[in-house]
Amino acid sequence: MDRIDKLLSSTGRWSRREVKDLVRQGRVLLDGRAVLRPEEKADPDQAVLTVDGAAVDCSPFVYVMLHKPAGLLSATGDKRQPTVVDLLPPELKKRGLFPVGRLDKDTTGLLLLTDNGPLAHDLLSPKKHVDKVYLAQVEGRVEVEDIRALAEGMVLGDGTVCLPAGLEPIGEGSSCLVTLREGKYHQVKRMLAARGKPVTALHRLSMGPLALDEGLKPGEWRFLTPQERANLLRLGDAT
Ligand code: URA
């Protein structure tokens, strides 16, 4: 927790004196309510601080939402193949951002990149119950028995134990939504292949409260909004 006058002045936009005046004039809000004293404290990563209604980013970490295109590795670097980090500008590459969990090379959709290691750990831990939702196209059609099998938790041919997962057919069942709380190697593809429904295309739609921004085209990225960031961090704190 840091003092609000320190947080706002550390952005370089206002002096401590100016922050005091902004607070006195009721122009600074913390999570939607007026800050009464500049010495009030806030968590720079979780708080949504606004000045005159505009959000001010005081976070010590960087959070990027990327629409991963097919054909790139979810890694920070590779000698031979392009990675998702190659889509970022040099100043962000220098910050050492890494992808939170891996998507296969041919999987598209939501990928979060950050330099906040503990948060990444929390989002991936099955104990934290962070749902990851995928849109899958399959050969054949998803049936009630498939829904039941995933809901019970599957054991794959090599002995891999999968936690119960959600399966929701869309339309005739050649597409479906799969909801996982974990991220084992090729998990969606292996579970559906084991049900005799090989995946022909896979796209991640969301991770906990964070949904892929439909305005981002494959290969495009943007910073998380303060609200998106606060939602994710609260979730890391839960449990
Ligand atoms: N499951 C898979 O099989 N592949 C991914 O990329 C993500 C989840």
Side-chain angles (χ1 to χ4, degrees), residues 102-104 107 134 180 184-190 202:
R102 284 167 188 264
L103 292 179
D104 297 335
T107 300
Y134 297 85
L180 299 186
K184 298 203 161 102
Y185 182 63
H186 293 331
Q187 190 168 350
V188 172
K189 292 176 185 164
R190 289 162 76 207
L202 191 60

Side-chain angles (χ1 to χ4, degrees), residues 166-191:
L167 179 60
E168 192 185 315
I170 298 175
E172 302 288 292
S174 59
S175 346
C176 55
L177 294 176
V178 181
T179 304
L180 299 186
R181 281 189 180 165
E182 52 185 349
K184 298 203 161 102
Y185 182 63
H186 293 331
Q187 190 168 350
V188 172
K189 292 176 185 164
R190 289 162 76 207
M191 286 192 313

Side-chain angles (χ1 to χ4, degrees), residues 18-39:
E18 286 166 332
V19 173
K20 270 201 180 83
D21 289 342
L22 290 170
V23 168
R24 200 165 27 82
Q25 292 156 7
R27 293 160 66 188
V28 182
L29 303 191
L30 169 61
D31 295 330
R33 63 157 190 88
V35 172
L36 301 177
R37 292 175 307 114
E39 314 84 70

